[in-house]
Amino acid sequence: MPVVETASASAWMLEGSAISYALALGADRMPRNLHFGPRLHSASDLLALAGSVRSPGVAPFGGMYGQEYPVWGGLFYDEPCLKVTFADGTRGLVLEYNSHRTRPEDDATWLDVTLRDPAYPLLVHLHYGVYERHDVLERYAVIENTGDEPVTIEEALSAVWHLPMWAGYHLTHLAGRWAAEMQVYREPVAPGRKVLESRRGHTSHAANPWFAMDKGDATEEYGGVWFGALAWSGNWKIAVDADTTGQVHVSGGLNDFDFSWHLAPGESFRTPSFFAGYTDRGLGEASRILHRFEMDCVLPRAFASRPRPVLYNSWEATTFDVNEQNQGRLAEIAASLGVELFVVDDGWFGARDSDRAGLGDWVVNPRKFPNGLGPLVRKVRSLGMEFGLWVEPEMVNPDSDLYRTHPDWVYHFPNRPRSESRNQLVLNLARPEVEAHITEALDRLLSDNDINFIKWDMNRPFSEPGWPDAPVERQREVWVRHTRAVYRTLETLRERYPDVAFESCSGGGGRVDLGIMRLTDQTWPSDNTDAFDRLRIQEGYSMAYCARTMMCWVTDSPKRYSGRAIPLRYRFHSAMMGSLGIGGNLLEWTERDLEKAREFVEEYKRIRHIVQGGDQYRLLSPRASAVTAVQYVTPDRSESVIFVLSSPHLLGEPAPTIYPRGLEPAAAYEVHPDGTRASGSALMGHGICVPLRGDWASALVTLRTG
Ligand code: GLA
């Protein structure tokens, strides 16, 4: 049974295949955490733990006491999950257990616990899902106003995860910047609060809503790891709180900064979901749990089990200078390489000759495409490829017809400048007419053209997030309403155009999270396509997100930004570790490079089911050594590939032995290119040596049974 409860119905246990999560009502009738970690083996364990539930009064000056959903009120001084103000000005909350139920839904079993305020008409529903097969927990809360006066919500987190008491935790998290997103950081947790967050209106390049905590002893392979990820693409917050007694908890959800929500009588407010899990098999397994979960339960079903196509994108080749002729020529070469999806990036619409004009005017530019997109789409199709298009629906250039007609449709404050970034402003999607406008514009684009793929971009964060026409008590809701409108638009389009796939992009990797992953089939991790820089970005990405969603392009060398020259082989090997794309100016590639590229694309198609659907092992980290090695193994363990890439290193520096993982110990594998045949246990135990000579050398090793 995935949810076990005691006879007195005051303690519950959610069980995965290797994890358990237990909670019980304390003396104050508030649910408190009993356990989150390795699986407990019987209901009697639950009873034994329930006897030890801590109650208020243990610490006379207040504290967290393992509360499952702490609210601000009384002797409470930590990060609350919920803070509200009632119509009479009362700002403290008191909640107590009201009821509970269990229910199966989708791939999970749910425990719903309802709490109520004894003095005010407010209910809080705590939802706990356990995805048994994946060892993943999902939590969110719904706040319901059952009275006839409004309630103001000032903070509404999704959940808090209590970790066993311990003084030496380490936090692993992802931080970065434009062109260097998702770098891995690991640091000791000291008493105090560490906040990871976005206040920018999108998920952000600076931090990503994922965390892992371990007791200071975890490696890729070993050690207990608690991890979690938020499904939210707007302002978010994950706070790690530790005190001097060893109590540690990680809370997360919507960022309370500049947030408030006017909960009218009869209305409910649902927080985003916070997913979490535990493994005793290190950071590598923590990632693989999330990867499998994403592939099975998060990604849109329509394309989840189909291989992601090899894509060509014209951005780096032609930037804004797209037209029927140059795109047609690129398409011909792309098709000859084996590309399956041809994507026209920015520049095809409105007066979009640079980033200074045109955003918001989603009509085909008649100078660049005199007969509309039709002829190019037909050409791309006749070449055997699908057709994709770039859009940036949430934005507007002040130099656009849309802005000239509706200057009040952007976020702004009266008497304040409208700060531009990349010469653009953010449309106020909290306004229903703006949401309807972008849904309709995209709908028209998809119904007028035979499009199979949309790259949805969002190139700047918010500023002056004002909505002057709205009642004052609703103006801070924009942070949530905007993200909900993006989700709703994507839902509508997916429903109306089930054969269209979507990519999430936000000036590179600014919108990668489990929330957008429910509605998009792949994401763009970074505008930095330097094959070496990418290794660290891709490593960080892999901490939380699966390889099939990770778009990687092979682009020109030397790179414009980094000035670095890298051989084609290394560029392909770096990009083949995710969903392969090509983004270089093919019109300038040599015949020899095109021939080589054709072979790499063919090779990728032979192994992509391993990369896109397999278990990923980070064998050697680009942060730790001059050689990076990443392995993928099919779920049935019959096939595996290892990418080995070496950056400049010192003469005589030994090549590291590579220890494959995840193989079937007793099965015999044939190793290519060297032709060795050995058992899985020999390969994993003895390792393999991949000799790489010179700078930017790389190899692709394949292992197959039978
Ligand atoms: C962003 C994206 C790029 C490209 C440009 C187009 O920077 O990340 O891939 O689409 O916009 O303007």
Side-chain angles (χ1 to χ4, degrees), residues 14 31 107 152 198 246 248 254 321-322 399 404 411 448 454 461-462 531 545 557 602 609 622 658 692:
L14 291 89
D107 304 313
T152 305
S198 165
V248 175
L254 297 174
D321 186 22
V322 295
D399 185 0
R404 280 183 282 273
Y411 294 115
D448 289 355
I454 289 283
F462 288 28
Y545 309 109
S557 173
E602 241 171 62
H609 63 288
I658 289 165
L692 294 176

Side-chain angles (χ1 to χ4, degrees), residues 178 181 205 313 315-316 319-320 345-347 349 352 354-355 359 390-392 422 424 455 457-459 503 505-510 524 526-529 553 561:
W178 177 80
E181 294 86 340
H205 303 75
N313 180 296
W315 172 242
E316 290 198 19
T319 60
F320 299 99
D345 209 277
D346 201 347
F349 54 89
R352 189 73 170 165
S354 72
D355 62 16
L359 272 184
W390 177 96
V391 293
E392 195 179 356
R422 212 191 188 212
Q424 60 197 59
K455 172 175 169 185
D457 208 340
M458 195 269 196
N459 265 314
E503 175 174 295
C505 171
S506 185
W524 182 231
S526 182
D527 281 345
N528 187 342
T529 56
W553 301 347
Y561 295 125

Side-chain angles (χ1 to χ4, degrees), residues 443-459:
D443 186 311
R444 200 170 337 106
L445 196 61
L446 289 171
S447 68
D448 289 355
N449 299 284
D450 193 2
I451 293 172
N452 311 92
F453 175 88
I454 289 283
K455 172 175 169 185
W456 180 308
D457 208 340
M458 195 269 196
N459 265 314

